[in-house]
Amino acid sequence: MDIFATANQKGGVGKTATTVNLGAALAEEGRRVLLVDFDPQGHLSEALGVPETPDDRTLCGWLLGEWTGDPREMIASHRDRLDVLPTHLDMALMERGLYMKNNRERRLSRLLEHLEDDYDVCVVDCAPSLGVITDCALMAARRRPGRRGGVIVPVEAEDSSIRALRLLLRQIGVLSAEMDIDLDVLGLVPSRYDLRDGRLVTGTLAAFRDLGTPPVLAEIRKRTDVREAWRARVSVLEYAPTSEVAGWYRDLAKAVYA
């Protein structure tokens, strides 16, 4: 199973929309896809209308060793070839709980090992944080023999996103060194921008394009189809399959596997 993480400690940059619609595009290509809602706010579960896991079988409980059952019991089927590992309210307590555990950064990786043969690809929707929850997701997305992985960074087309990107890249470098892993930043996904906002947007987009590394994988402009699909609790590829924005997410899926 290939594992990717959509990460950025800055909120409101399109992480969940990227996760949902990238997953839908990969499933449309024929891959068996698992989406992991690793954000205590539960936006991914909300976006797809997936209920929280039962109180006695939660992602947080498994990671903290409070429940040792089969992780498959937590998974909800959303569409053909597209499943979700949803969140629960107790995720709000997970950061504090993980700090008191050994090998905390590897706990999500160990959970996903149980699902290795069930899916072709997993996409983890990270919390807007630079804490241990994000470290867990980044660790799961490390490079492994015979498997693809890496970090996809949704960004806003504004100046503050450049500083946030630098902080995330620094964290990735520190984690890679401390844990002796290879962790690839696959690229950036400028999202939710409107070219009518003028030079603020176009200048930031040009700065992202000029970086070279990490590259820009796809650009997702602001479109009402995304918000309407969220309200309908489906991906934009299902809600508006022939729309411009659905095509952009299909291009993103191709870029991830280029």
Side-chain angles (χ1 to χ4, degrees), residues 18 128 148 158 191 218 250:
T18 299
R148 289 177 179 259
E158 61 176 44
S191 300
R250 292 184 181 105

Side-chain angles (χ1 to χ4, degrees), residues 14-253:
K15 287 190 297 295
T16 301
T18 299
T19 303
V20 167
N21 292 299
L22 171 60
L26 293 170
E28 189 179 77
E29 292 179 349
R31 293 183 171 90
R32 299 168 299 164
V33 179
L34 175 67
L35 304 181
V36 178
D37 190 348
F38 214 51
D39 181 354
Q41 298 177 78
H43 291 316
L44 189 150
S45 302
E46 177 188 354
L48 294 179
V50 176
E52 292 185 353
T53 50
D55 289 342
D56 58 343
R57 298 191 301 278
T58 70
L59 179 55
C60 176
W62 200 99
L63 295 178
L64 296 182
E66 297 167 356
W67 177 64
T68 58
D70 187 342
R72 293 175 183 83
E73 296 181 30
M74 296 185 285
I75 292 173
S77 177
H78 177 68
R79 291 293 185 270
D80 185 33
R81 297 188 301 275
L82 184 63
D83 291 349
V84 178
L85 204 170
T87 190
H88 186 274
L89 284 174
D90 65 355
M91 280 283 287
L93 307 175
M94 190 171 73
E95 184 113 20
R96 180 182 300 175
L98 283 173
Y99 274 116
M100 302 180 340
K101 300 293 183 180
N102 295 325
N103 296 314
R104 53 183 174 266
E105 296 89 355
R106 298 182 182 273
R107 292 188 173 232
L108 178 60
S109 300
R110 290 176 177 172
L111 183 149
L112 294 178
E113 286 173 3
H114 290 267
L115 310 172
E116 188 77 45
D117 297 327
D118 296 349
Y119 298 95
D120 301 308
V121 57
C122 169
V123 187
V124 182
D125 188 31
C126 295
S129 163
L130 287 176
V132 67
I133 293 180
T134 297
D135 282 345
C136 279
L138 296 176
M139 189 72 185
R142 70 193 183 281
R143 194 187 307 167
R144 297 177 297 150
R147 303 292 186 184
R148 289 177 179 259
V151 185
I152 300 161
V153 188
V155 291
E156 276 187 307
E158 61 176 44
D159 292 343
S160 61
S161 287
I162 296 176
R163 183 175 185 275
L165 174 62
R166 289 173 178 156
L167 290 172
L168 177 62
L169 294 178
R170 182 179 181 275
Q171 174 164 350
I172 289 171
V174 169
L175 181 68
S176 299
E178 289 184 348
M179 304 303 293
D180 192 24
I181 61 172
D182 293 314
L183 183 54
D184 300 317
V185 180
L186 301 183
L188 312 179
V189 183
S191 300
R192 303 172 60 179
Y193 68 88
D194 191 333
L195 290 176
R196 292 174 296 182
D197 290 339
R199 286 182 295 176
L200 173 64
V201 168
T202 57
T204 308
L205 285 173
F208 286 139
R209 294 166 185 154
D210 290 343
L211 282 174
T213 303
V216 172
L217 296 174
E219 297 180 8
I220 313 295
R221 300 184 191 183
K222 185 180 292 184
R223 292 291 186 270
T224 57
D225 289 330
V226 177
R227 295 196 301 273
E228 291 171 355
W230 188 295
R231 180 172 293 178
R233 301 293 187 259
V234 296
S235 73
V236 73
L237 281 82
E238 180 177 342
Y239 181 81
T242 62
S243 65
E244 192 175 30
V245 68
W248 293 334
Y249 283 116
R250 292 184 181 105
D251 291 341
L252 173 59

